[in-house]
Amino acid sequence: MPQFYLPGPWDSEKPTPLTPEVAHHLRVRRIELGDTFPIFDGKGQVANAKLLSLSGKSGSAQLSEIRTDIHRETPYAITLAQGLAGGDKMDWIVEKAIETGAQVIAPLQCERSILKLTRSSDQDRAQKRLTHWKGIIQAACEQCDRTVLANLEPIQTFDEYLKATKPALKLLLSPDATQSLYSVLMENDPQDVVLMIGPEGGHSPEEEARAQAAGYRIVSLGERVLRTETAGVVAITAVHSVWNPEMQKRLK
């Protein structure tokens, strides 16, 4: 059974109210009174919940075995700084970034972005997109059993993000780069990393130059040119394959 997101605070001494969303999911899955289902609070806490009541959009559960479980999180934080992509591509990118282990997602308005959401007149649209993506993050965590919700940053322009990024290994992915992502990962110890992916058409040469001036290294994923919705997933997976050998050992 998949886990359900139920924000805290939790109390094992008395019944805990269910959110309308959880109540809906329990009805859809035909969870009966007395059945137990797993929950997480988005901050690393998990528990077993026994359904006590369910009516309409409400219900309650008795919680037990409340504990911390963050074994699916890596000690290094991966930030996906993703150029805004058109259509429903951003939905797919956000979902797969969560499934593959990104801890932070930063949507960026780039020069070649088809989707425009940083103008003052676009604020309502931007907020609706962010709310929608937060829902995708939650659903992806429920599906892949992550217990910590990724941080979704506000939509920023490319240059605003360059000025605001925190200390980390900063990498911009470009098909024209002469150095591979793999080689950079091999020469660096595991640490927080920013993976910057361009929108359709990639970053402009001027953006790449400004990123280099801000401390980014320009790296390639290989000989083939990947779509924007593919590049981030491949890059995140590459980071784990090089930096997370302990997980590989557990899977053997």
Side-chain angles (χ1 to χ4, degrees):
M1 180 186 298
Q3 60 179 353
F4 299 96
Y5 171 60
L6 186 64
W10 294 346
D11 187 347
S12 61
E13 300 300 321
K14 58 184 180 181
T16 297
L18 303 178
T19 62
E21 184 178 26
V22 172
H24 170 73
H25 287 313
L26 294 178
R27 287 196 303 275
V28 169
R29 293 184 176 276
R30 302 191 180 188
I31 304 299
E32 303 289 343
L33 297 183
D35 288 347
T36 300
F37 54 93
I39 59 172
F40 72 108
D41 71 349
K43 298 179 180 180
Q45 289 282 102
V46 300
N48 292 327
K50 181 178 180 180
L51 185 61
L52 299 179
S53 65
L54 187 63
S55 176
K57 296 182 178 181
S58 62
S60 65
Q62 186 68 49
L63 307 190
S64 62
E65 298 183 42
I66 299 175
R67 60 202 183 278
T68 298
D69 182 355
I70 55 172
H71 77 277
R72 289 185 175 85
E73 302 302 313
T74 54
Y76 50 86
I78 297 178
T79 295
L80 178 65
Q82 173 67 49
L84 289 172
D88 60 357
K89 292 177 183 177
M90 284 298 294
D91 292 2
W92 194 93
I93 290 168
V94 170
E95 179 182 76
K96 301 312 173 188
I98 298 306
E99 291 179 9
T100 49
Q103 285 95 336
V104 182
I105 298 176
L108 305 184
Q109 185 80 66
C110 299
E111 290 181 21
R112 294 174 178 170
S113 291
I114 298 173
L115 184 62
K116 306 293 184 182
L117 291 173
T118 56
R119 297 170 299 188
S120 58
S121 59
D122 294 326
Q123 292 306 301
D124 287 345
R125 289 177 59 228
Q127 189 55 52
K128 288 179 181 178
R129 287 293 183 112
L130 288 170
T131 300
H132 177 64
W133 294 332
K134 286 180 180 178
I136 290 175
I137 289 173
Q138 176 186 319
C141 285
E142 291 176 338
Q143 185 276 324
C144 69
D145 277 351
R146 288 185 65 179
T147 60
V148 180
L149 294 176
N151 178 36
L152 177 65
E153 296 192 0
I155 299 169
Q156 305 165 66
T157 66
F158 180 83
D159 290 321
E160 287 172 340
Y161 188 76
L162 290 184
K163 297 175 183 178
T165 48
K166 299 177 181 179
L169 178 62
K170 297 182 285 189
L171 307 175
L172 184 149
L173 282 294
S174 170
D176 299 322
T178 57
Q179 188 173 26
S180 71
L181 171 63
Y182 178 80
S183 67
V184 173
L185 295 174
M186 287 295 292
E187 68 187 33
N188 284 275
D189 293 329
Q191 60 189 284
D192 293 352
V193 59
V194 177
L195 302 173
M196 184 174 280
I197 309 294
E200 297 93 339
H203 289 108
S204 69
E206 293 77 15
E207 285 176 329
E208 290 193 7
R210 295 200 297 274
Q212 279 188 298
Y216 280 79
R217 299 175 69 170
I218 312 300
V219 297
S220 169
L221 284 171
E223 298 297 328
R224 289 168 292 281
V225 178
L226 302 182
R227 295 177 183 272
T228 183
E229 63 267 34
T230 307
V233 174
V234 174
I236 293 169
T237 304
V239 171
H240 292 316
S241 68
V242 176
W243 281 357
N244 201 4
E246 291 303 317
M247 179 176 291
Q248 306 305 321
K249 291 179 183 178
R250 292 199 300 267
L251 295 176
K252 288 183 179 179

